[in-house]
Amino acid sequence: MKKLVMIGNGMAGVRTIEEILKTAPEQFDITIFGQEPYPNYNRIKLSNILQGDTNFEEIIINPLEWYKENQIQLFTGEAVVKIDVEAKRVISDQGREVDYDELIIATGSNSFILPIPGADKIGVTGFRDIKDCEMMIKSAAQYKKAVVIGGGLLGLEAARGLLNLGMKVDVVHLMPNLMERQLDPIASHMLKNELEAQGMNFLMEKETVEILGDERVTGLRFKDGSEVDADLVVMAIGIKSNKEVAKNCGIYVNRGIVVNDFMETSVPHVYAVGECAEHREMVYGLVAPLYEQGKVLANRISGLVGEPYQGSITGTQLKVAGIDLFSAGEIFEDGSTKSIMVYNEYDGIYKRVLTRNNLIVGIVQYGDTKESTKLFRMLTKKEDISGTAIFQTECGTGDSNDVAAMPNDELVCGCNGITKGAIVEAIQTQGLTTLDQVSHCTNAGRSCGRCKPMVSQILKYTLGDQFDAATAQKTSICGCTTVSREELVEEIKAKGLTSVKEVMNVLEWNNEEGCTKCRPAINYYLGMIHMDEYKDDRDSRLVNEKMHANIQKDGTYSVVPRMYGGITTAADLKKIAEVAEKFNVPLVKLTGGQRIGLFGVKKEDLPGMWEELDMPSGYAYGKTLRTVKTCVGAQFCRYGTQDSMALGIELEKKFERLDTPHKVKMGVSACPRNCSEAGIKDIGFVGIDGGWEIYVAGNGGVDLRPADLLCTVKTQSEVMEMTGAYMQYYRETANYLERTSKWVERLGLKHVQEVLADHETRKALNERMDKTLKKYIEPWNEAIQSEEIQDKYYVKHTIMAGSETK
Ligand SMILES: Cc1cc2nc3c(=O)[nH]c(=O)nc-3n(C[C@H](O)[C@H](O)[C@H](O)COP(=O)(O)OP(=O)(O)OC[C@H]3O[C@@H](n4cnc5c(N)ncnc54)[C@H](O)[C@@H]3O)c2cc1C
Ligand SMILES: NC(=O)c1ccc[n+]([C@@H]2O[C@H](COP(=O)([O-])OP(=O)(O)OC[C@H]3O[C@@H](n4cnc5c(N)ncnc54)[C@H](O)[C@@H]3O)[C@@H](O)[C@H]2O)c1
Ligand code: SF4
Ligand code: FES
């Protein structure tokens, strides 16, 4: 097998790998280096995260299991710093050297940061990755005033997000018109009016010359001497290609890494794709052209004869609620162009098509973009418009008539280059009936998602009488089925299904092996429904749960033994120290959940280490109760009103190993000073005079969320009863991989309070919980006792994946 290495784990690069896996699945042994500590995610949706419409888990395109399934060695959080083109080898910032036969550079871009005094102050950021997004969300929780520099696509989407987060937002723009590269002055003016109505304040034609403040930003100074206050500054003034690693090894670069029509760089066997690549003097910053490049490169690298990449015409839209705009091609008139215009100031609609020699060369639409796909097709296909009515009021109403009239080669999903014809063919030949399935099968809708309404219409039109609106819209478990979570649970109960295989057979999964999304979910639901009698299907679990250890990015594992309530003993500490020495553990670290993690353990050492430790698994890897963090409480602290350690230990001993839809963390504080941070836990307990307050749905991770008060109880046994009922209700009604915070938001706190207020309901939930808890056995001990388990799971091999440990 040839060795294929890719630098960069972003949207364009990983799409190229997906294409290679389609065309030449057996040809390459693939290694990917990604500087960010995550699997491949949908960067486009960072705007939606900031605007509060989604969360990080939802925007992961390829989870870690995908890399494993496709035998891709992934090094996350690791940057390639050098390419030795003579030896055909890359070297990472961690000193790792990997040889290649073929090398793809897909390093994307960085935010352009103004080189002005103060640009390095705390509170100044670009908007490019999850880290930037998290920083903005955190700042919004603490500070009031944001300034976004740059009134382009990114700046306006960032500004909308910061408004949603409750900040006051100024947008500083250098030019007289917003989005001047995409809009003409009329459309730009309409956009500005609408955004002002939404609460944005614009400082136009301002050039920032200094960022003010001591350590943290306090304001901005402009060239005209005026100043403005700021607690947070977001620079959204364009991007610059990440080309240094190529440049340093002698690959020819200009604005980006220069490539030919087959994405080949100036050095043999080295290719570039995505925002880091410059093709015919163009560097693209939207996914549609980058995915086209990816396809061309995949063909080239797999040895297939394919079309060359000849450049792209791009169309843009702004992802801000309440704004409907589209722009493509040329914006400004010259002596050779003629405009066709509709300007309805009253309804806020403006459309202008720029033509030259009977061809459309530019489109700007504001307020009504229904005709954009048709016009964009006419532009890209260079259709002669003589005699064609450009703007028809009946056109583009989005119903089946429009779909029928739409030619097969009309582009429906701009991001992924998917035509109506391709979607219709997939529906007909693959028997697709839901939007999810069409997306999974064709890629349509997988990026920005704005084409989904049209894809739905095509589904309706193609299926005709067989179209069922409820089926089409429902979110199926995954692309292997049309079955939703509710239907799956109902069918398991009604048909008495008892195994993952049986579920997939009886419910006619279209992929008999299932996938990494549906198998763990089915396994969970079966265990939840059949309580004590279900035999867990270990091979259907997510990889860390299957191994009962967290896989680290270098292929080693972490071992985190249980320390109930974060309390340990001298004897246990001694044992941990001896084991760490004996097995040459490279890192011993206190985790965020008040326990000790041993990191960098070889897979084949796991059973031996567990045996010597002789401590239960801390389940630091599981969709289960992770930890119960406690403060020292009334036993030692002079403020403590309750025994937080005793409650923490009781909770952890009772609920450890319980399968839950997602991980659950608890915290117990003995007084409202809340040293155990119970206010950002899935369930938090705060001691007060004469009782406990129970808080739920907190989250301290990417989606920072303060917990809500569920209720107040008097005794520790009432705490246990309420917690048992709450956890069981979560187990029975949440979607698999839905955190408690999202679950409560979906159901509504009031609803959950009402359900749990009823004594009989609580009793029934606790009975089911107790029945379930009986079945669990200690997994590390089981592995020590069973040669079969050791042979199957703990013999030497190589898997790579990044992971988390708490
Ligand atoms: C907030 C936001 C909203 C957007 N909205 C849209 C939209 O609506 N429509 C649209 O079409 N486009 C949009 N874009 C642009 C789109 O996301 C990018 O065009 C696309 O992600 C580029 O893909 P890429 O693979 O070239 O780069 P990236 O996705 O940036 O991936 C490059 C990866 O390489 C890694 N890397 C860099 N150097 C190294 C190294 N030396 N070693 C290892 N790894 C390295 C980086 O950390 C990064 O993870 C948006 C971008 C942002 C930031
Ligand atoms: N909806 C979308 O398609 C979308 C959304 C976000 C980002 N993106 C992509 O992300 C990339 C970055 O977006 P962007 O908006 O930063 O880049 P951009 O180049 O499109 O826009 C930058 C804007 O900042 C302005 N500007 C430049 N210097 C300035 C200064 N000193 N002060 C104030 N304003 C200044 C420019 O006039 C320009 O309008 C682009 O490739 C874009 O296509 C796309
Ligand atoms: S939460 Fe209260 S009782 Fe617990 S350690 Fe802090 S101050 Fe003491
Ligand atoms: S147009 Fe963006 S995903 Fe289809």
Side-chain angles (χ1 to χ4, degrees):
M1 256 194 201
K2 284 209 282 183
K3 291 192 275 301
L4 171 62
V5 173
M6 187 164 80
I7 312 175
N9 186 33
M11 296 190 74
V14 177
R15 173 59 69 87
T16 308
I17 298 292
E18 286 181 3
E19 298 284 354
I20 292 172
L21 291 172
K22 269 191 228 157
T23 50
E26 307 293 333
Q27 207 170 321
F28 296 105
D29 180 359
I30 304 172
T31 302
I32 303 179
F33 284 87
Q35 193 164 17
E36 293 182 76
Y38 314 105
N40 172 239
Y41 66 89
N42 188 343
R43 198 172 300 285
I44 296 177
K45 297 264 178 176
L46 288 178
S47 301
N48 305 64
I49 290 192
L50 196 68
Q51 291 174 27
D53 302 333
T54 185
N55 59 41
F56 182 55
E57 270 153 19
E58 306 238 313
I59 71 164
I60 291 177
I61 305 175
N62 299 93
L64 292 172
E65 286 73 27
W66 175 83
Y67 295 86
K68 187 172 168 268
E69 262 174 16
N70 291 292
Q71 275 127 41
I72 296 169
Q73 206 164 45
L74 171 68
F75 297 107
T76 55
E78 194 164 338
V80 168
V81 287
K82 195 174 165 203
I83 305 169
D84 182 340
V85 290
E86 297 301 322
K88 293 175 87 180
R89 178 174 304 148
V90 299
I91 300 145
S92 82
D93 56 0
Q94 296 182 20
R96 192 188 309 276
E97 301 193 0
V98 178
D99 293 342
Y100 65 81
D101 296 307
E102 311 289 343
L103 175 68
I104 300 175
I105 307 177
T107 46
S109 331
N110 289 326
S111 304
F112 181 73
I113 300 293
L114 283 175
I116 52 173
D120 55 353
K121 288 197 193 303
I122 298 171
V124 180
T125 183
F127 183 18
R128 182 71 197 172
D129 56 27
I130 279 286
K131 192 169 44 51
D132 300 334
C133 213
E134 274 177 19
M135 185 276 206
M136 287 189 255
I137 292 170
K138 276 193 189 130
S139 299
Q142 215 178 333
Y143 299 99
K144 295 266 162 295
K145 172 73 191 297
V147 173
V148 175
I149 308 181
L153 290 157
L154 187 65
L156 298 178
E157 290 182 11
R160 181 61 258 179
L162 293 166
L163 277 182
N164 288 11
L165 290 167
M167 295 194 91
K168 210 167 157 294
V169 184
D170 287 347
V171 177
V172 174
H173 194 55
L174 192 61
M175 310 300 282
N177 295 306
L178 295 176
M179 284 180 60
E180 76 285 352
R181 288 181 201 156
Q182 292 90 6
L183 301 179
D184 62 18
I186 298 178
S188 174
H189 181 70
M190 293 170 86
L191 172 67
K192 182 162 169 276
N193 282 349
E194 170 57 32
L195 292 174
E196 276 169 345
Q198 290 192 10
M200 268 175 227
N201 182 43
F202 290 98
L203 304 170
M204 305 298 282
E205 296 182 74
K206 291 275 188 191
E207 186 179 339
T208 313
V209 290
E210 189 180 353
I211 309 252
L212 309 171
D214 294 329
E215 279 201 345
R216 188 178 178 93
V217 56
T218 55
L220 266 68
R221 180 174 298 129
F222 303 115
K223 200 173 179 184
D224 60 12
S226 59
E227 293 181 5
V228 65
D229 290 341
D231 306 314
L232 168 72
V233 172
V234 181
M235 295 218 196
I237 47 170
I239 48 178
K240 55 179 176 31
S241 287
N242 224 328
K243 57 188 178 189
E244 300 313 314
V245 75
K247 186 178 169 192
N248 292 343
C249 69
I251 293 172
Y252 178 54
V253 302
N254 184 34
R255 271 176 64 213
I257 305 167
V258 176
V259 292
N260 65 13
D261 287 358
F262 292 97
M263 311 315 289
E264 293 161 328
T265 69
S266 60
V267 167
H269 303 287
V270 182
Y271 312 82
V273 69
E275 284 188 356
C276 65
E278 177 179 327
H279 173 261
R280 299 190 189 176
E281 294 176 13
M282 282 295 293
V283 175
Y284 295 94
L286 295 168
V287 290
L290 311 184
Y291 287 167
E292 282 181 52
Q293 295 177 352
K295 203 163 184 128
V296 170
L297 173 53
N299 282 338
R300 186 60 159 195
I301 223 163
S302 321
L304 299 178
V305 185
E307 294 288 310
Y309 178 64
Q310 294 180 314
S312 310
I313 299 172
T314 54
T316 35
Q317 284 179 291
L318 184 70
K319 301 193 295 298
V320 169
I323 307 280
D324 190 15
L325 66 79
F326 178 80
S327 151
E330 295 178 34
I331 306 298
F332 296 105
E333 298 191 17
D334 60 29
S336 65
T337 55
K338 285 186 184 140
S339 281
I340 308 170
M341 274 184 26
V342 170
Y343 185 21
N344 177 344
E345 206 175 355
Y346 182 77
D347 289 330
I349 292 172
Y350 171 69
K351 308 177 191 187
R352 202 191 64 176
V353 164
L354 211 57
T355 67
R356 185 180 293 117
N357 302 329
N358 293 329
L359 300 179
I360 295 179
V361 293
I363 307 162
V364 173
Q365 294 189 301
Y366 186 90
D368 175 6
T369 60
K370 287 199 284 289
E371 296 129 333
S372 60
T373 41
K374 181 190 80 174
L375 295 175
F376 191 56
R377 184 200 72 230
M378 293 167 84
L379 186 155
T380 48
K381 301 259 171 214
K382 297 192 168 59
E383 288 177 22
D384 192 314
I385 58 161
S386 339
T388 311
I390 294 293
F391 302 122
Q392 291 170 321
T393 42
E394 72 274 18
C395 185
T397 49
D399 64 20
S400 311
N401 292 336
D402 297 324
V403 177
M406 192 190 264
N408 268 340
D409 62 353
E410 186 150 323
L411 201 57
V412 173
C413 176
C415 291
N416 293 284
I418 312 298
T419 59
K420 173 193 161 188
I423 295 171
V424 170
E425 193 192 326
I427 295 167
Q428 286 170 339
T429 58
Q430 314 279 319
L432 313 179
T433 52
T434 74
L435 192 55
D436 268 8
Q437 286 178 327
V438 176
S439 224
H440 187 76
C441 196
T442 63
N443 280 334
R446 264 184 93 197
S447 306
C448 73
R450 67 174 74 96
C451 57
K452 282 184 176 177
M454 184 47 84
V455 178
S456 261
Q457 286 303 325
I458 296 175
L459 189 64
K460 185 174 174 190
Y461 158 79
T462 311
L463 291 179
D465 291 345
Q466 286 159 21
F467 176 79
D468 174 353
T471 307
Q473 289 307 325
K474 85 184 171 198
T475 311
S476 51
I477 302 278
C478 67
C480 305
T481 177
T482 58
V483 171
S484 68
R485 182 242 182 241
E486 283 66 32
E487 286 166 342
L488 175 61
V489 168
E490 278 310 305
E491 293 280 17
I492 291 174
K493 287 181 185 165
K495 298 199 162 92
L497 307 177
T498 55
S499 74
V500 175
K501 275 259 168 233
E502 193 184 11
V503 167
M504 295 193 298
N505 280 340
V506 174
L507 303 184
E508 295 177 355
W509 246 236
N510 58 33
N511 165 12
E512 63 176 39
E513 286 306 312
C515 71
T516 49
K517 227 173 156 183
C518 59
R519 289 185 67 117
I522 302 171
N523 188 47
Y524 169 76
Y525 294 127
L526 283 165
M528 182 268 288
I529 292 163
H530 297 307
M531 288 178 253
D532 49 351
E533 73 259 31
Y534 176 62
K535 181 157 173 4
D536 182 53
D537 181 354
R538 185 165 177 157
D539 291 327
S540 289
R541 285 193 174 255
L542 297 169
V543 60
N544 288 342
E545 293 194 342
K546 192 171 4 189
M547 299 302 293
H548 281 286
N550 235 331
I551 299 182
Q552 306 298 306
K553 66 179 188 182
D554 62 354
T556 63
Y557 291 79
S558 65
V559 168
V560 184
R562 185 69 75 186
M563 282 182 186
Y564 297 98
I567 292 147
T568 183
T569 61
D572 276 350
L573 288 175
K574 234 189 236 169
K575 242 191 312 186
I576 291 172
E578 278 162 12
V579 166
E581 254 180 16
K582 178 167 176 184
F583 288 88
N584 289 325
V585 171
L587 177 73
V588 182
K589 182 172 182 322
L590 298 183
T591 70
Q594 291 188 334
R595 44 208 191 163
I596 296 174
L598 304 168
F599 294 82
V601 181
K602 291 194 213 80
K603 185 175 66 174
E604 58 275 21
D605 285 346
L606 288 172
M609 188 179 241
W610 295 336
E611 190 165 7
E612 302 241 348
L613 277 172
D614 190 24
M615 291 169 77
S617 163
Y619 274 81
Y621 44 80
K623 308 294 174 218
T624 176
L625 174 66
R626 290 278 176 95
T627 58
V628 184
K629 190 167 177 171
T630 66
C631 76
V632 289
Q635 281 192 39
F636 289 95
C637 177
R638 64 204 161 99
Y639 299 111
T641 52
Q642 299 289 348
D643 191 346
S644 48
M645 289 192 289
L647 176 59
I649 292 171
E650 187 177 354
L651 286 162
E652 195 161 348
K653 287 207 159 154
K654 170 145 191 185
F655 297 113
E656 66 175 323
R657 302 179 197 133
L658 175 71
D659 286 308
T660 44
H662 209 309
K663 63 186 169 191
V664 172
K665 296 178 185 178
M666 296 188 190
V668 190
S669 292
C671 87
R673 285 171 186 77
N674 214 344
C675 296
S676 71
E677 296 157 344
I680 50 163
K681 299 290 181 222
D682 294 272
I683 315 183
F685 308 88
V686 176
I688 50 171
D689 276 334
W692 292 95
E693 287 176 340
I694 303 181
Y695 289 87
V696 293
N699 199 330
V702 175
D703 290 318
L704 193 64
R705 182 186 194 280
D708 298 318
L709 181 66
L710 178 76
C711 61
T712 304
V713 297
K714 290 203 180 78
T715 64
Q716 191 160 316
S717 70
E718 283 176 80
V719 167
M720 296 306 293
E721 194 229 358
M722 186 54 85
T723 308
Y726 178 80
M727 294 266 280
Q728 183 65 14
Y729 193 52
Y730 168 54
R731 296 184 71 241
E732 291 178 6
T733 54
N735 298 321
Y736 185 65
L737 295 188
E738 185 175 35
R739 285 296 293 265
T740 57
S741 51
K742 297 292 165 200
W743 170 70
V744 168
E745 278 174 7
R746 183 165 61 81
L747 265 59
L749 178 69
K750 202 156 174 279
H751 165 82
V752 178
Q753 284 170 324
E754 279 166 9
V755 169
L756 299 184
D758 180 54
H759 172 71
E760 285 309 313
T761 308
R762 280 204 312 277
K763 192 163 160 242
L765 285 164
N766 269 302
E767 279 167 11
R768 294 199 288 279
M769 167 64 84
D770 291 342
K771 204 169 171 194
T772 308
L773 284 169
K774 280 202 192 110
K775 75 175 168 196
Y776 294 108
I777 49 170
E778 208 298 305
W780 288 358
N781 193 37
E782 187 190 21
I784 297 164
Q785 307 296 334
S786 161
E787 266 181 35
E788 194 190 330
I789 291 180
Q790 289 183 29
D791 286 350
K792 185 159 179 201
Y793 297 102
Y794 302 105
V795 286
K796 209 171 171 178
H797 79 323
T798 49
I799 329 170
M800 299 291 162
S803 205
E804 49 155 3
T805 304
K806 260 277 159 88

